[in-house]
Every structure is written in structure tokens, then in C-alpha cells.
Amino acid sequence: MYDHSATDIDGDSLSYELCKAYNGGSTNNVKPKPPLFVADPLLYRSPYTFSKPMSGSPLVQINPKTGLITGTPTLQGRYVVAVCCHEWRGGKIINTVTREFQFVVTNCSKAVVADIPQYSRSEERRV
């Protein structure tokens, strides 16, 4: 579970959905985006799409009212997930904020092994 919920200072209602991610961008880019920034949508490898960004059982999805992303991925890999948060006032969308995430799915082990060597006093003095 990933909590993507937000609050609105004006009290407007918010809704959430998985949406298109875009190519480009860099953490090293110090120049601001031009006013009419245009980017190409990210092309997902089949069978994935922006609304089904990874396999899962249950499928990864977002609750449109709470913003909680849930699901259990079933394949290891790196996946791009974009979330659109729509701000509603008077029954109309007045703003949308898009956030993109990279999720790294790896095999996890529940077994914890504490393998801490124990040194005797004589070994501690030599170190």
C-alpha cells in the first residue's frame, strides 16, 4: 500500500487516477520548463499500460477517493506509475497535479539472519 492522498487548503474535493507518464526530465536540469512544455507519452511494454502499469494479484490500482495505491506485484522489475490528482470545485476540474514514481519490485525474504561475529577479548586487543 502506498498513500498518495493529499489535502486541499481551499476545501475543494480531490480525486485520483492512474494516468499517463511522460518521457524526459532530469534531476540535473536547472533550467525551468518553457511555458508550453510538451513531452512525449511514455510507451509501456505490452501487456502494461498507464492504467495497468504492472502485473499483480490483486492488480495494482488506486482508490479514486482516498488516493491509496494497493495491490501486490507478481513480477520483479522497475515500473513507472503516474498518478493524477484532480481538484474539483463546483463540479468542474480546476487543476490537475501529476506525479510519477518508479517502483522497484524485488524478491523479498521474510527470514532474518543476524550473523554478527563474536570476538573474544584477545581478538579485540589485536584489532
Side-chain angles (χ1 to χ4, degrees):
M1 181 178 344
Y2 181 81
D3 186 354
H4 185 75
S5 63
T7 56
D8 184 77
I9 195 167
D10 302 321
D12 297 323
S13 61
L14 303 175
S15 67
Y16 308 88
E17 68 176 331
L18 298 178
C19 56
K20 292 180 182 178
Y22 291 90
N23 283 317
S26 169
T27 57
N28 298 323
N29 186 1
V30 294
K31 296 180 183 178
K33 294 177 184 175
L36 297 173
F37 178 72
V38 178
D40 295 323
L42 183 69
L43 298 176
Y44 287 84
R45 290 183 185 167
S46 182
Y48 306 114
T49 64
F50 71 88
S51 60
K52 185 184 170 193
M54 65 180 81
S55 63
S57 182
L59 283 175
V60 172
Q61 59 187 347
I62 191 165
N63 182 305
K65 293 182 180 181
T66 65
L68 289 177
I69 296 175
T70 58
T72 303
T74 54
L75 293 174
Q76 295 181 37
R78 293 178 189 264
Y79 301 92
V80 175
V81 177
V83 174
C84 287
C85 178
H86 304 293
E87 180 181 8
W88 295 80
R89 185 179 296 161
K92 296 182 181 178
I93 294 176
I94 62 170
N95 192 26
T96 298
V97 174
T98 303
R99 295 179 65 194
E100 297 180 8
F101 303 88
Q102 176 179 251
F103 288 100
V104 178
V105 178
T106 186
N107 192 12
C108 296
S109 172
K110 292 183 181 182
V112 177
V113 177
D115 189 12
I116 303 170
Q118 182 175 357
Y119 297 104
S120 66
R121 287 194 166 268
S122 61
E123 288 175 335
E124 289 176 5
R125 280 187 242 134
R126 284 188 269 157
V127 174

